[in-house]
Amino acid sequence: MGEKVSLDAYLTNNPIEGALFFLGKKLSVKDDKGVVSGIIFETEAYGGAEDKACHGYGNRVTPRNKTLFQRGGIAYVYFCYGMHYLLNFVLGPEGIPMAVLIRGVWITEGKERVRERRKGIPEKHWADGPGKVTRSFGINDSDNGVSLIGDRIWVEYSGIVIPETEIKTTARIGVDYAEEWAKKPLRFVWEKK
């Protein structure tokens, strides 16, 4: 096991910096059958009460999004479109809604376990979308609020340094409702060369 990312990394008050920071880091999830790990290659930044695509827009706290308003360093997991769970890393101080959505991971460890979970899906598509990430890693609503520096879900330094030229920046996916925020370049994809 490598060095875990410390709590300080989750306390940034800049979701863009957070989204870029987690690219190339190693996500790991442990259950009673072992550990699944992989390298994060796609993220999206969400944050602040002014972000119309963020669940915390307008500082509106609900039973569904209250985790987003907690201190950084925990998982914000929610059910999306009645189909799949999405994993976010909560950032910043308590009371300010900020997170990084984990959109894509290259699986590197626990492949047999993921193969069971993703039957019939080619390996390159196991975790190339946010709902696919949670299915591959076995993440669900019971992981909402779980510490990201604990023994269930954690992130490690991988030793990878991504050249800026390999990071593609685009608008976020699926947030067309967010008016002027829909087109902001807050999605980051590592296009490995």
Side-chain angles (χ1 to χ4, degrees):
M1 186 162 121
E3 179 190 353
K4 280 187 183 179
V5 169
S6 72
L7 179 61
D8 287 344
Y10 298 96
L11 298 180
T12 178
N13 61 2
N14 185 327
I16 294 171
E17 285 179 8
L20 288 166
F21 172 81
F22 287 107
L23 287 177
K25 302 300 184 289
K26 181 178 164 185
L27 172 65
S28 295
V29 178
K30 182 179 181 181
D31 66 15
D32 59 346
K33 294 185 179 180
V35 176
V36 173
S37 299
I39 302 300
I40 298 168
F41 72 85
E42 185 176 348
T43 59
E44 286 181 351
Y46 289 85
E50 67 280 357
D51 182 347
K52 292 180 179 177
C54 180
H55 288 174
Y57 172 62
N59 278 324
R60 192 185 79 221
V61 181
T62 68
R64 178 188 188 211
N65 76 1
K66 65 183 179 182
T67 303
L68 184 59
F69 287 86
Q70 294 182 25
R71 183 177 186 222
I74 60 174
Y76 172 43
V77 179
Y78 62 89
F79 202 50
C80 184
Y81 303 127
M83 296 189 312
H84 44 252
Y85 294 99
L86 301 185
L87 171 65
N88 296 262
F89 297 164
V90 176
L91 303 178
E94 184 174 356
I96 300 175
M98 288 186 285
V100 172
L101 172 64
I102 306 304
R103 287 197 53 86
V105 179
W106 291 310
I107 305 297
T108 57
E109 298 171 39
K111 289 186 176 185
E112 286 304 314
R113 181 86 166 130
V114 177
R115 191 171 283 111
E116 291 171 15
R117 290 176 173 153
R118 305 289 288 140
K119 282 186 169 92
I121 305 296
E123 184 174 335
K124 68 180 183 175
H125 295 301
W126 280 350
D128 63 346
K132 296 176 183 182
V133 168
T134 55
R135 283 193 291 275
S136 293
F137 283 87
I139 293 170
N140 58 45
D141 59 347
S142 69
D143 294 306
N144 188 41
V146 167
S147 171
L148 295 170
I149 56 172
D151 295 327
R152 164 69 180 150
I153 302 172
W154 68 92
V155 179
E156 297 174 17
Y157 291 95
S158 64
I160 297 170
V161 177
I162 303 172
E164 284 185 38
T165 57
E166 293 184 11
I167 299 174
K168 179 180 175 182
T169 303
T170 74
R172 295 173 291 190
I173 295 174
V175 296
D176 293 340
Y177 60 86
E179 299 172 1
E180 71 276 12
W181 283 85
K183 300 295 182 204
K184 291 191 183 275
L186 298 172
R187 174 179 171 243
F188 307 96
V189 184
W190 177 19
E191 295 188 330
K192 199 172 177 183
K193 297 185 176 158

